[in-house]
Amino acid sequence: MFDRSFFARTAVEVAPELLGAHLVSGEVVLRITEVEAYLGVGEDPGSHSFRGRTNRNQVMFGEPGHLYTYFTYGMHVCANVVCSPAGTSGGILLRAGEIVAGRDIASARRHTSRTSADLARGPARLTVALGITLADGGTDLSSGPLRLELATEASGFESGPRTGVSGDGGGADYPWRFWIPGDPTVSPYKAHAPKKRA
DNA sequence: TATGCGATTGCCT
DNA sequence: GGCAATCGCATAG
C-alpha cells in the first residue's frame, strides 16, 4: 500500500524517486533500477499521450499509481506507472530492474536468458520476467498480487536523454531518463541511437 | 480503407 | 555492429 498522492505529480518529478522501489508480481520481486518519464498532452512529443486520449492510452488519463501497458513492434509489451497531476496524463516507463526474489520463475519465463543481470534489463524483458501482459493494464498497483512497494529511502541517481525516442524535437534532448549509477542491470545500449527519422 | 512506423529484442555477419 | 521480425495504432486520403 502506498499513498496515491505520491503519483499525483509530474512524471519527471516522481521518476527519480521510483528508483529502488520494488515491483511485486506474485512470487517475483523486481528492484527498479532504470526508468523514463513521459509527460502529457502537448507537452512531450515522445509520449503516447501527446496527441490526446485514445483507446490505447486511456489508462494514462485515469488514476495515478495504476499500470499502463502497451504492445509494440508486433511482439513486445512494455509497462508504465501512471503518474499524473489531476487533469493531466503521463507515465513512467520501467526500463530495467534487478530480480531480487523468484529468480527461478523469472528465469523460466525468459527462457533464453542466463544471468540474473539479463533477466530484466530492457523494458520488454522486464515485463516477461514479471509475467506482465496487456491484460494487466489498468491494474491498481497500490495493493494486490501485482503491486508497487516504494523505496523507504531515496537512492542516488543519474539522469540523461531518453533512449529509443526520435530526436529533433522528439523530446530526446531532455534528461528524462533516470537510473541508479553503476547498476549492472541498467540498459547499456542506445546511448545515442542515430535514428534517422524526422 | 490504406499505409507507415514504433518507448525493442535477438540473431546474423 | 547491423538488420529482420511482426502487428496495432495513428494519420492521411
Side-chain angles (χ1 to χ4, degrees):
Chain A
M1 202 57 167
F2 54 75
D3 186 348
R4 194 174 299 287
S5 64
F6 177 84
F7 292 101
R9 294 176 287 154
T10 66
V12 173
E13 204 171 353
V14 177
E17 298 182 28
L18 205 54
L19 293 173
H22 285 180
L23 182 59
V24 181
S25 176
E27 306 286 309
V28 183
V29 179
L30 178 90
R31 172 173 162 266
I32 300 171
T33 59
E34 182 184 1
V35 298
E36 272 179 18
Y38 286 87
L39 300 187
V41 181
E43 301 174 301
D44 179 4
S47 174
H48 284 174
S49 66
F50 179 64
R51 299 171 209 293
R53 181 172 180 153
T54 66
N55 184 61
R56 172 172 64 159
N57 65 27
Q58 57 175 318
V59 173
M60 277 204 284
F61 290 79
E63 283 285 291
H66 284 219
L67 183 71
Y68 166 55
T69 55
Y70 68 89
F71 187 67
T72 190
Y73 286 95
M75 58 183 90
H76 297 305
V77 176
C78 296
N80 303 245
V81 178
V82 176
C83 183
S84 53
T88 70
S89 66
I92 299 174
L93 171 68
L94 305 180
R95 289 199 60 85
E98 173 192 6
I99 300 295
V100 295
R103 184 167 305 164
D104 292 344
I105 299 174
S107 187
R109 288 191 180 122
R110 289 280 287 118
H111 185 246
T112 58
S113 174
R114 298 163 184 77
T115 70
S116 61
D118 276 333
L119 285 176
R121 183 177 65 184
R125 292 171 169 183
L126 184 152
T127 60
V128 172
L130 290 177
I132 293 175
T133 68
L134 289 178
D136 293 310
T139 301
D140 184 349
L141 295 174
S142 67
S143 62
L146 180 58
R147 67 183 182 281
L148 198 55
E149 295 181 353
L150 300 178
T152 52
E153 56 187 72
S155 61
F157 71 88
E158 289 182 0
S159 62
R162 291 181 305 199
T163 66
V165 180
S166 56
D168 20 282
D173 299 331
Y174 298 91
W176 290 340
R177 173 175 171 238
F178 304 88
W179 66 91
I180 295 178
D183 196 287
T185 61
V186 172
S187 319
Y189 41 81
K190 290 192 175 176
H192 11 253
K195 281 222 161 176
K196 296 199 162 141
R197 188 66 214 125

